[in-house]
Amino acid sequence: DAILREKPVLTKLFEVLGPRYADRDGGYTRILKLSQNRVGDNAKMAVIEYVDRPGEIRAARVPKKRMEKLLLGEKKKKNLKDVIESLGIDPHVYKP
C-alpha cells in the first residue's frame, strides 16, 4: 500500500490526471523504444509517457466515451477543427 502525502502530487493527481483520464478505461501510458542503446552498458532504452497530454510524442486515440460526448453532446461541433480544439490540440499542428 502507498500513501501520497505531498500536496503537489495530490493536487496533480486529482485536478489534472483524474479529469484527463475519466473517460479512458485503461491505457494511460505509452512506452516508446529508442533505437539507440545506452552508451557504456549497451542497455536498451525507452521513453515512458502519459497519453492525452500536451506535448506528447505521438497523439493518442480519443477514448470512445469522450468522442461520443464531443460529437453527441449538447453543444454540437461543426467540424473536425472544432472537435480537435475542444480536446486542447492545436489544429494547425494536428494532421489526421
Side-chain angles (χ1 to χ4, degrees), residues 2-34:
I3 298 173
L4 297 174
R5 296 177 190 210
E6 294 81 16
K7 187 168 171 91
V9 174
L10 289 171
T11 301
K12 184 170 185 174
L13 179 63
F14 288 102
E15 292 181 10
V16 177
L17 298 177
R20 181 185 299 162
Y21 298 113
D23 298 330
R24 191 172 279 281
D25 293 328
Y28 309 109
T29 59
R30 173 185 302 118
I31 300 172
L32 301 168
K33 295 179 183 178
L34 300 177

Side-chain angles (χ1 to χ4, degrees), residues 24-64:
R24 191 172 279 281
D25 293 328
Y28 309 109
T29 59
R30 173 185 302 118
I31 300 172
L32 301 168
K33 295 179 183 178
L34 300 177
S35 60
Q36 297 289 322
N37 291 349
R38 184 168 52 201
V39 177
D41 63 356
N42 203 32
K44 294 183 185 279
M45 300 291 289
V47 173
I48 301 173
E49 69 173 355
Y50 285 111
V51 298
D52 287 347
R53 70 175 179 81
E56 65 184 322
I57 296 171
R58 190 182 100 207
R61 281 187 226 122
V62 178
K64 186 177 179 182

Side-chain angles (χ1 to χ4, degrees), residues 75-92:
K75 182 182 175 188
K76 300 248 183 204
K77 306 296 185 229
K78 294 180 181 176
N79 55 37
L80 181 59
K81 181 179 178 241
D82 293 338
V83 173
I84 292 169
E85 285 177 341
S86 69
L87 292 171
I89 301 170
D90 182 1
H92 303 291

